[in-house]
Amino acid sequence: MKPKTVSKGQAAKNSKPRGATRKRALEIPPEEARELHYYLRLTREVDERLVKLHRQGQIGGNHYPAVGQEATTVVPAFFMEDDDFVGPSHRELGVFITKGRGSPRSMPLVQVFAQVFTKSTSQDEGRNGPSHWGWTPERILEHCSNLGTQIPVAAGAALSFKMRGLPLVAFAFIGEGGASKGDFHEACNFVGIHKLPFVIIIQNNFWAESVHISLQTGNDNLSDRAIGYGYEGIRIDGNDVIQCYQTFKYAIDKARTGGGPTMIQCDTYRWYGHSMVDPANYRTGSEVSYWKELDPVARFERWLVDNGVMTQEEIDQRVKEINEQIFAAIDEAKSAPDPEPETFLDKVYAD
C-alpha cells in the first residue's frame, strides 16, 4: 500500500486554528491584563535572545524555541499556585518564567541563562543539556527528551493531592506529536478513572518535528480523546490570549474544587524549527507568514491598546526595561563558574 503523504500546500491549508468549543464569557481585569502582558513579553524576549545566543555559538547544545506559542504556557502558569505540580515538555519556558509570579520561590531569570550556559550555579549544576530546565522550589519537574514520560509523573502528583485532600492541581504539557505516546494514554486514562485534579495541555503546533498532524492521526481534534477517558476536552485557539485566559481559568478552578480533570488542545504554531538545528524547510513561507499574523503577543497588545489598558508608549517602555533585565541576567550567569571536572560523578550515585 502506498503510504499517505501530504504536500506543503495541504499542510498550510490544514494548519489553521480552530475556535473554542466554549463561548467567551469574560474579559481580563485590567490589573491582571497588564501583569499577564509582562510575562508574555518577558517570555518572548527571553526566547528570542536564546535563539540569538545559539546562533552566536554561546549555547553549547541545542535550544527548542517556543516563539509564537507563549499564550499556551504563560496563561496557565498565571493561575498556578506555588505548590501545584508541573510536568513540562520542550517548550514550557513561559511556565518557568511565570509560575510563582515573583514569589520568593519563583525561578530567577538568571537561572534560565545559567542552565543554558551549563554553569555550576544552575539547579542541575551544568549536568543537563541546554533548555532542559527544572525548578524544584516551584515543583516544576526537570524534563527529559523522552517525550511523554512527564505525564504519568504529573498524574501521580494529582493522585497524591487527592489522597491528601489538598486543593492543588497537577499540570502536564505535551505537543500533538507526544500525544501519540503510550505514556499519554495511560496517564490520561488513570486520571479519568480517579477524577484527579489534573489539567493536560496539548500544544498542537501541527508539526511533530517534520511530521504533519494529518500524517499522525485521523482526527486532528485531540481533545476528543478526553471523552473516552471520561472527562471534558476543549479545543481552543491557542494564540488568543483572552480565550486561553477564560478556558484555563475555568479548567483550573474546576480541578482545584474537586471537579476532576480537563484536556485542553491549544492550536498554535512555532515560528522556528523543532530545534535550532532544524531548518524547518518542510514548511512553506506562506504557512509561516499566516501564523505570524496570528502572533499571540501582538494580538494581545492590540487588545490592550484598543481597550485603554496600556498605551503603545507604555508597551515600548516595558519591552526596553525587559531587555535590560535580560542582559543583566545574561551577564550575571556568564560570570558564574563552570562545573569543576572532578565533580563529574557527583550526585550520580546515592550514598
Side-chain angles (χ1 to χ4, degrees):
M1 178 181 291
K2 183 178 179 181
K4 183 180 178 183
T5 61
V6 60
S7 69
K8 290 184 178 181
Q10 288 173 313
K13 182 179 180 181
N14 295 334
S15 300
K16 308 290 185 182
R18 302 291 182 88
T21 57
R22 181 172 299 280
K23 292 181 179 179
R24 180 178 298 178
L26 56 87
E27 296 292 335
I28 306 177
E31 306 79 20
E32 291 190 15
R34 285 190 288 269
E35 187 178 6
L36 190 54
H37 172 259
Y38 170 77
Y39 288 105
L40 286 163
R41 254 299 164 190
L42 180 59
T43 300
R44 167 65 60 84
E45 298 300 321
V46 169
D47 210 348
E48 289 281 25
R49 182 54 50 185
L50 289 167
V51 169
K52 291 182 174 69
L53 290 169
H54 188 278
R55 288 174 171 170
Q56 294 166 355
Q58 297 191 54
I59 295 178
N62 211 343
H63 175 55
Y64 304 87
V67 177
Q69 299 188 191
E70 292 85 0
T72 67
T73 56
V74 172
V75 178
F78 191 80
F79 294 109
M80 293 177 187
E81 301 289 345
D82 282 333
D83 286 331
D84 287 343
F85 181 89
V86 182
S89 188
H90 282 76
R91 303 188 204 282
E92 278 62 74
L93 176 63
V95 175
F96 288 97
I97 286 175
T98 307
K99 190 173 189 288
R101 290 197 275 156
S103 80
R105 291 167 54 178
S106 63
M107 184 175 179
L109 192 56
V110 66
Q111 278 290 326
V112 172
F113 296 102
Q115 202 281 330
V116 299
F117 294 145
T118 60
K119 294 294 184 175
S120 62
T121 52
S122 170
Q123 177 170 278
D124 61 20
E125 299 180 11
R127 285 169 167 75
N128 207 340
S131 301
H132 285 61
W133 295 284
W135 191 244
T136 303
E138 280 288 338
R139 293 187 172 180
I140 310 177
L141 184 70
E142 186 168 314
H143 82 271
C144 68
S145 294
N146 294 327
L147 297 180
T149 55
Q150 74 278 10
I151 304 177
V153 179
L159 177 63
S160 169
F161 296 155
K162 183 171 183 177
M163 290 176 67
R164 291 183 289 161
L166 300 175
L168 299 174
V169 180
F171 298 80
F173 291 82
I174 193 72
E176 84 290 346
S180 293
K181 297 290 292 295
D183 308 74
F184 173 91
H185 165 74
E186 292 177 15
C188 290
N189 192 51
F190 184 84
V191 301
I193 292 168
H194 298 285
K195 309 302 179 194
L196 301 183
F198 186 83
V199 176
I200 183 160
I201 299 148
I202 305 172
Q203 296 166 302
N204 172 33
N205 60 34
F206 297 93
W207 291 96
E209 194 152 357
S210 60
V211 179
H212 192 261
I213 189 171
S214 61
L215 296 177
Q216 184 173 188
T217 176
N219 177 8
D220 67 0
N221 187 355
L222 302 179
S223 65
D224 281 350
R225 298 180 184 181
I227 299 170
Y229 302 132
Y231 48 92
E232 186 175 14
I234 306 173
R235 184 177 191 176
I236 64 173
D237 177 357
N239 282 15
D240 183 336
V241 171
I242 297 175
Q243 196 174 105
C244 287
Y245 179 96
Q246 172 197 348
T247 306
F248 283 114
K249 185 178 190 305
Y250 160 77
I252 294 168
D253 286 348
K254 182 177 72 171
R256 205 176 297 285
T257 55
T262 306
M263 180 181 296
I264 302 173
Q265 173 175 327
C266 302
D267 290 340
T268 185
Y269 200 78
R270 51 174 168 81
W271 291 10
Y272 298 97
H274 170 74
S275 71
M276 288 305 296
V277 299
D278 171 20
N281 52 11
Y282 41 82
R283 309 185 304 189
T284 63
S286 61
E287 179 182 331
V288 177
S289 296
Y290 169 85
W291 278 96
K292 285 188 175 182
E293 289 295 316
L294 297 175
D295 176 357
V297 179
R299 287 169 69 184
F300 189 54
E301 288 178 343
R302 287 194 294 271
W303 181 88
L304 291 168
V305 173
D306 291 346
N307 288 274
V309 180
M310 294 181 73
T311 66
Q312 188 59 53
E313 291 73 20
E314 289 174 321
I315 291 172
D316 294 342
Q317 179 61 28
R318 170 170 278 178
V319 173
K320 179 176 179 292
E321 292 171 357
I322 282 173
N323 277 285
E324 289 172 355
Q325 294 176 42
I326 290 171
F327 285 119
I330 290 172
D331 289 342
E332 182 180 347
K334 282 185 174 180
S335 67
D338 296 322
E340 295 293 337
E342 55 268 24
T343 67
F344 181 74
L345 292 179
D346 288 358
K347 301 182 180 179
V348 175
Y349 302 101
D351 294 332

